Amino acid sequence: MKSVFRVLVASIALLFVTLGSASAEVVYNRGNSADPESLDPHKTSTVYEGHILRDLFEGLVMQDPKAELIPGAAESWTVSDDGKVYTFKLRGDGVWSNGDPVTAQDFVFSFQRLLDPATAAEYAGMLYPIKGAKEINDAATKASPDTLGVKAIDDKTLEVTLNAPTPYFLEMLTHMATYPVNKKNIEQFGADFIKPGNLVSNGSYTLAEFVPNDHIKLIKNPKFFDAANVQIDVVNYIPTEDRSAALKRYEAGELDSNDDLPTEQLEEIRAKFGDQVRIAPYLGTYYYTFKVDKKPWDDPKLRRAISLAIDRDFLAEKVWKNSMIPAYSFVPPGIEGYEPSVADYSEMPQIDREDEAKKILTELGYGPDKPLKMELRFNTSENHQNTAVAVQDMLKPLGVEVSLVNTDTKSHYGLLEQHGDYDVARAGWIADYKDPETFLRLLVTGDGSNYALYSNPEYDALMSKAAAEADPAKRSKLLSEAEAIFVRDTPYIPLLFYSFHNIVSPKLQGFENNVMDVHPTRFIKKTG
């Protein structure tokens, strides 16, 4: 009854949102797995936020419907012969939603703000390839923001100097953390600059409404340089943590798409909706993180035992209905030029893995008289709950008593990002760009997304060497060596490689499958 009531209330609310739009407007009701923690590009980290921010803001470089690079706020760029200096020419018709021109100074301010320790940006480390970025972000060094290798040559020319050639640099600039924010907007409203009526943005849409747990309404930005080719007038982002309820709303025509499905119903959903169901691999890893600075989880042998005992084939086949792939490395397959380092037990029969896990637990003093107690946290989703219950059942025969804790997505990731207290927690990482570094940097000491608080000087040294290595083959080898250390230490347990699970109305055109699962609303059209 509770679930039905929530669907009814949400449906009525959405009806009023839609009726509030003029009859001639094209409205796209877009299911989005969770509400954002923030709409400040420098304080966000999840794909749920990325979908919205990609509509509100535009970085120097953006992605088309196939996730290929296209000009964004910069209409062109050149690269120096040594690969270290990028010079961007900003488009002359690029303006903020308040009519002010978008300038090179806006990007200088925004990059400096992302790196400012006071911002506490989880993604500050993304800019470390830029000269001076790491030193500025380190509060202990007190480096001046002016030492950053990002300079405004004039209002429409931006120069970025890197520490070393960085093959993924342009793709990195499509990420929300690199989007510009309006300095005057922040100075006027402070932390409230992200509220409807306050927010000044430079993307294809502007923020009209934000009702938590109900909807976020964006309206077409008439000042956007390509507004003439943006067909959808209003996009309502609807949080859909309850995947089954979202499916009912989609079937009723209240949602035009949703970005996840209840996988336990996948066979029936495919039979009912046919090619409206979109499932294909994309670059992401579903994993569990340990709190490695907390006993007993500071012991890599114990972490290995837990990892050995989890039957990934069962999770992929039975829980996720063959819509995910078993994972034994942190970096997914499919990144050109990179060979992931996989766990040494990846080809071992599951029964032998369980035997080894039992042996380790016995050696560590755990058994019937001293069971290992483990709290496993996950964010709201039938899929995450079913995975956690399956893992709980797998560990029980080994004498591991698993208690499950479920919280909403915002609270769950808030705990991880603030390095709160937990034993083991569910997490997922979707590639920010097509390079292994986007996964492996999560284990570098001090990285904002290093939920485990893992720290290994040997690992850090290899990552630093890789960042300075210009030869692609040598760089790839260094990254693979770093991943091998990760596999040995097991601060995270990679469980599955992602596939996207979208359901898309036939009324939508331009919603194209791609390995990044990126679908900017500006390229989508709706009929009927």
XYZ file of all heavy atoms in Angstrom, residues 247-248 250-252 265-277 503 506:
165
model
N 8.711 1.922 -13.126
C 8.246 1.157 -14.283
C 6.741 1.303 -14.471
O 6.250 1.435 -15.609
C 8.628 -0.318 -14.099
C 8.329 -1.235 -15.285
C 9.151 -0.832 -16.507
C 8.619 -2.687 -14.906
N 5.999 1.313 -13.358
C 4.548 1.513 -13.447
C 4.241 2.901 -14.023
O 3.316 3.059 -14.831
C 3.904 1.366 -12.065
C 3.932 -0.043 -11.485
C 3.149 -0.102 -10.188
C 3.107 -1.508 -9.611
N 4.378 -1.908 -8.997
N 6.159 4.628 -15.999
C 6.515 4.609 -17.417
C 5.385 3.964 -18.224
O 4.972 4.489 -19.262
C 7.818 3.825 -17.615
C 8.200 3.672 -19.064
C 8.876 4.685 -19.750
C 7.870 2.514 -19.770
C 9.216 4.551 -21.083
C 8.199 2.366 -21.105
C 8.874 3.385 -21.760
O 9.194 3.253 -23.089
N 4.872 2.847 -17.724
C 3.804 2.144 -18.430
C 2.546 3.008 -18.531
O 1.815 2.958 -19.524
C 3.485 0.833 -17.713
C 2.502 -0.048 -18.460
C 2.344 -1.413 -17.817
O 2.860 -1.617 -16.697
O 1.715 -2.285 -18.446
N 2.326 3.849 -17.517
C 1.160 4.736 -17.521
C 1.384 5.994 -18.370
O 0.471 6.815 -18.502
C 0.824 5.140 -16.089
N 12.735 -8.401 -12.582
C 11.605 -8.467 -13.506
C 12.039 -8.382 -14.971
O 11.209 -8.219 -15.864
C 10.632 -7.315 -13.228
C 10.098 -7.226 -11.820
C 9.232 -5.992 -11.622
O 8.449 -5.607 -12.504
N 9.368 -5.350 -10.470
N 13.329 -8.519 -15.209
C 13.863 -8.181 -16.524
C 13.265 -9.007 -17.654
O 12.959 -8.474 -18.738
C 15.387 -8.331 -16.513
C 16.148 -7.597 -17.612
C 15.747 -6.133 -17.689
C 17.645 -7.719 -17.369
N 13.074 -10.315 -17.444
C 12.525 -11.153 -18.514
C 11.125 -10.689 -18.899
O 10.796 -10.591 -20.090
C 12.511 -12.620 -18.064
C 13.912 -13.216 -17.911
C 13.875 -14.637 -17.385
O 12.771 -15.208 -17.265
O 14.954 -15.181 -17.076
N 10.309 -10.395 -17.890
C 8.941 -9.939 -18.165
C 8.941 -8.554 -18.824
O 8.141 -8.285 -19.725
C 8.132 -9.882 -16.860
C 7.937 -11.245 -16.184
C 9.051 -11.584 -15.201
O 10.162 -11.015 -15.325
O 8.808 -12.412 -14.314
N 9.853 -7.694 -18.364
C 9.925 -6.339 -18.930
C 10.313 -6.387 -20.390
O 9.717 -5.705 -21.238
C 10.933 -5.486 -18.118
C 10.440 -5.277 -16.692
C 11.148 -4.134 -18.793
C 11.485 -4.665 -15.767
N 11.296 -7.233 -20.711
C 11.720 -7.357 -22.115
C 10.594 -7.904 -22.979
O 10.381 -7.457 -24.111
C 12.944 -8.274 -22.202
C 14.268 -7.569 -21.895
C 15.395 -8.565 -21.866
N 16.690 -7.938 -22.098
C 17.831 -8.438 -21.706
N 17.858 -9.583 -21.041
N 18.968 -7.823 -21.975
N 9.869 -8.886 -22.449
C 8.769 -9.474 -23.215
C 7.664 -8.450 -23.471
O 7.038 -8.441 -24.537
C 8.210 -10.691 -22.464
N 7.457 -7.573 -22.496
C 6.364 -6.612 -22.590
C 6.717 -5.389 -23.427
O 5.902 -4.891 -24.213
C 5.967 -6.168 -21.184
C 4.693 -5.346 -21.120
C 4.235 -5.191 -19.684
C 2.827 -4.639 -19.607
N 2.338 -4.601 -18.210
N 7.974 -4.884 -23.268
C 8.322 -3.605 -23.881
C 9.290 -3.720 -25.064
O 9.567 -2.723 -25.723
C 8.919 -2.667 -22.820
C 7.934 -2.266 -21.760
C 7.942 -2.875 -20.515
C 6.985 -1.286 -22.017
C 7.033 -2.502 -19.534
C 6.066 -0.907 -21.047
C 6.090 -1.522 -19.793
N 9.795 -4.903 -25.311
C 10.619 -5.106 -26.500
C 11.816 -4.181 -26.576
O 12.574 -4.042 -25.598
N 11.991 -3.534 -27.732
C 13.191 -2.717 -27.938
C 13.139 -1.363 -27.227
O 14.052 -0.550 -27.371
C 13.480 -2.528 -29.431
C 12.336 -1.849 -30.183
O 11.387 -1.362 -29.525
O 12.394 -1.799 -31.429
N 12.078 -1.127 -26.438
C 12.092 0.051 -25.566
C 13.096 -0.146 -24.418
O 13.537 0.823 -23.797
C 10.698 0.313 -24.995
C 9.659 0.682 -26.055
C 8.266 0.796 -25.474
O 8.045 1.504 -24.493
N 7.308 0.088 -26.064
N 13.429 -1.409 -24.155
C 14.411 -1.736 -23.133
C 15.803 -1.671 -23.761
O 16.078 -2.341 -24.761
C 14.158 -3.141 -22.542
C 15.214 -3.491 -21.510
C 12.765 -3.213 -21.936
N 14.999 2.354 -20.088
C 13.764 2.109 -20.822
C 13.358 3.443 -21.435
O 13.317 4.469 -20.749
C 12.658 1.500 -19.932
C 11.458 1.093 -20.795
C 12.259 2.411 -18.772
C 10.508 0.130 -20.097
N 9.195 5.140 -27.443
C 9.370 5.307 -28.886
C 9.140 6.755 -29.332
O 9.512 7.128 -30.455
C 8.323 4.381 -29.500
C 7.780 3.558 -28.403
C 8.120 4.205 -27.106
